[in-house]
Structure formats: structure tokens, C-alpha cells
Amino acid sequence: NKAKSFAQGVFASHKKFSNIIRWFDGFKDGGIGYQVLQRPLQERTNWASAEKAKATTALADIFSVFGFKERSKLYTPVFIEEINESLSKSAMLAVALNWGNAINRQRIMGGEKWGHVQIQAIMDRLSKKEMDFVQSVWDYYDTFWEAVAAKEKRVSGVAPTKVEPLPVYTKHGTYRGGYHPIKFSPERSNEAFKHMISAAEETGKLGAFGRGMTKRDHAKERVEGEVNIAMRLDLDVVFEHVTEVIQDLAFHEYLIDAGRILNHEDFHAAVVTKYNDAIFAQLKATTADVALGEVP
């Protein structure tokens, strides 16, 4: 009845993933549930924590080129006659970060309705130190490439195509260019908002069925063609992207393996028969949490 189902649901929600697995294993150490579900999750969680700590240090070093006074001015709007609007220095740096390869160039020009003259006017307002900073971000992204490509090849059998950098010509010299994640702005574009909602729903749907997949925008093949949606022009994108890459490297393969187990009819039947639907639902909820970056 409904009262019994409600009670089972409340009970299950208060049992941590590790406790449920230990229950499955008859409260014995090192059981099959621990071996195939819990221990791999613990190992990947520990790896992700260590990698995020290293990334925090690396990004702090990259951003340290901006002193206290410079950081305080990063968000001060400056009027740029060529675009007839004001941009903060952080937005200008974001424009530069999106100028390192062909696809991002189309996205930034299409989304803002700018041409090369407008882009150049923005780039000319960046100092050599600031352009060196932009290149250092591109270079740091590149340190993840081998791991991303190797993981994608293990999962799909095919390594993703690397985004090729384009030379960036500035008054301070030529920079190599590089990859930067394409992030559309839901605040500045209704299309971007719909895209964000759709992506969130899809991630949740995958997790709910035990097939949770971490956000993997950095590994997706880029779609050619014109897209005229306003992009995010902020430096938070850098931190978000690095977090997503580490999350993906840590848990993508685990989620595939866990999904195979949770989706197996025999496993589902055994859990529901011996325990109840609420316990099985809690196991699926854990995979959804992992997919969304909320590791229990």
C-alpha cells in the first residue's frame, strides 16, 4: 500500500550507498557488491579529489599574474567605440580565449554580430601579460588531452578529433592559439537557455536509468556551420571546464560499468525481491548524483 511504499522510500533515502552495498554483502568485508560497485567508486572519488586539488593549484598559479589591483579591475566596464558597448577586462579575455580556433571564432562573431574589426579592437586592448595569460590557459587545457583521448578510445574505440589551434596575431606578436569550451549564455540568449535545460534533462534522464554519463562537452565532436547564439564572456568558464574534464575522466567508465549492472534484469529482480523497489531506486539515484558531479 501507499503507506508501506512511503515508509520504504524514507528508509532507503537514509541509507548511504556504502551501507546498502554492505547490506547486500551480508555485512561481510570485501563482498561482491563492494568489489564491483563500492570500491571502484571510492577509488575514482579519491582520484578526482587529488586531481581537483592539483588543478586548483595550477589555476591559482595561472591567474596569479593578476595582482590585487588588477583583479579588482577585471570586472570594471570599459566602453569600446568599435562595438558601441562596454566590456569588462574579464569579458575581453574571454573573447581572446574564444579566438584560438576556427569554430570558436565563428561562435563568438555569430553570437555577438561582430566582424574582424570589432574583434581586433577588443584584442588590441589586451596587454602582452594578458595575452600571455590567455595562451597559458590554452596550454593548460592541452595537458588533459592525452588522458581524454585515451579514455574516449577505451569507451568508444575511436579517439575524438582534437580541435586544431589557429595562430592569433596581436600587436604583441603571434600566439599559438588553442581550445576553449563553447559555453552559450542562458542569460543573454533564449536559445542558450533552452539548450541548457535540455542538457540538464538529458543528464538526469541518463542517471535515473543507471546509465549516468558525466557532462562531456569537452570530448564531443564540434558541429560545423554557423550558430548565432550569444556566448558566455566570463572567466568562470575556465574553472567549470576543468572541473567537468576531471569529473568525466574520473567517473565516465565507472558509470558505464555500474549502469550495466543496474540495468541487468536479474540484478533488478534480485534486489526488488530480497529488499524493495526503494532500495533499487536509491542505487540508481547514486549513479545520477555521480553523473551530476555530486559524489556521495
Side-chain angles (χ1 to χ4, degrees), residues 29-274:
D29 294 332
I32 188 66
Y34 173 80
Q35 295 291 336
V36 301
L37 287 174
Q38 185 182 346
R39 186 176 70 179
L41 179 58
Q42 289 177 338
E43 290 173 348
R44 301 316 296 159
T45 300
N46 292 339
W47 182 88
S49 296
E51 289 301 308
K52 288 176 183 178
K54 288 195 291 186
T56 297
T57 299
L59 287 172
D61 183 58
I62 291 171
F63 277 78
S64 68
V65 297
F66 301 114
F68 178 77
K69 289 185 178 180
E70 291 171 304
R71 289 197 299 271
S72 66
K73 295 179 180 178
L74 281 176
Y75 303 98
T76 302
V78 176
F79 183 75
I80 301 174
E81 184 177 355
E82 289 83 355
I83 64 173
N84 196 33
E85 64 177 289
S86 297
L87 289 181
S88 66
K89 185 56 68 75
S90 64
M92 295 180 207
L93 290 166
V95 171
L97 284 165
N98 280 291
W99 204 243
N101 64 79
I103 300 299
N104 283 66
R105 288 186 184 185
Q106 188 281 318
R107 299 295 190 263
I108 196 71
M109 289 194 293
E112 302 299 334
K113 308 297 189 294
W114 290 337
H116 287 270
V117 172
Q118 286 74 30
I119 295 292
Q120 194 62 52
I122 294 169
M123 301 284 282
D124 284 345
R125 283 168 169 76
L126 296 177
S127 67
K128 182 180 186 305
K129 181 171 73 172
E130 289 163 344
M131 278 307 307
D132 290 348
F133 161 81
V134 169
Q135 185 63 62
S136 70
V137 174
W138 287 329
D139 292 343
Y140 181 60
Y141 288 155
D142 209 36
T143 64
F144 292 97
W145 172 250
E146 288 188 7
V148 168
K151 189 268 300 177
E152 285 297 305
K153 190 170 184 177
R154 289 194 301 271
V155 169
S156 66
V158 180
T161 302
K162 189 175 184 179
V163 174
E164 291 298 322
L166 284 181
V168 177
Y169 302 104
T170 76
K171 62 184 182 181
H172 310 296
T174 302
Y175 290 82
R176 188 176 66 86
Y179 167 85
H180 185 63
I182 291 174
K183 299 277 189 180
F184 298 116
S185 172
E187 292 82 10
R188 301 169 62 220
S189 166
N190 189 51
E191 284 299 315
F193 178 76
K194 289 191 290 185
H195 175 77
M196 179 186 71
I197 295 300
S198 175
E201 289 176 346
E202 186 64 21
T203 303
K205 188 185 300 180
L206 290 167
F209 289 97
R211 297 189 299 272
M213 304 290 285
T214 56
K215 290 182 289 186
R216 297 164 57 230
D217 290 344
H218 62 281
K220 291 179 181 177
E221 294 290 351
R222 293 183 161 203
V223 179
E224 298 289 346
E226 292 190 3
V227 176
N228 300 319
I229 304 176
M231 294 178 66
R232 281 180 55 185
L233 299 180
D234 63 85
L235 295 178
D236 287 346
V237 169
V238 176
F239 298 92
E240 292 171 13
H241 174 65
V242 171
T243 299
E244 288 172 2
V245 172
I246 294 172
Q247 181 78 4
D248 183 37
L249 289 172
F251 300 110
H252 183 188
E253 290 166 291
Y254 169 80
L255 288 166
I256 291 174
D257 294 338
R260 288 174 180 149
I261 296 170
L262 293 175
N263 285 327
H264 198 286
E265 293 181 1
D266 292 344
F267 181 82
H268 176 260
V271 173
V272 172
T273 300
K274 187 170 180 62

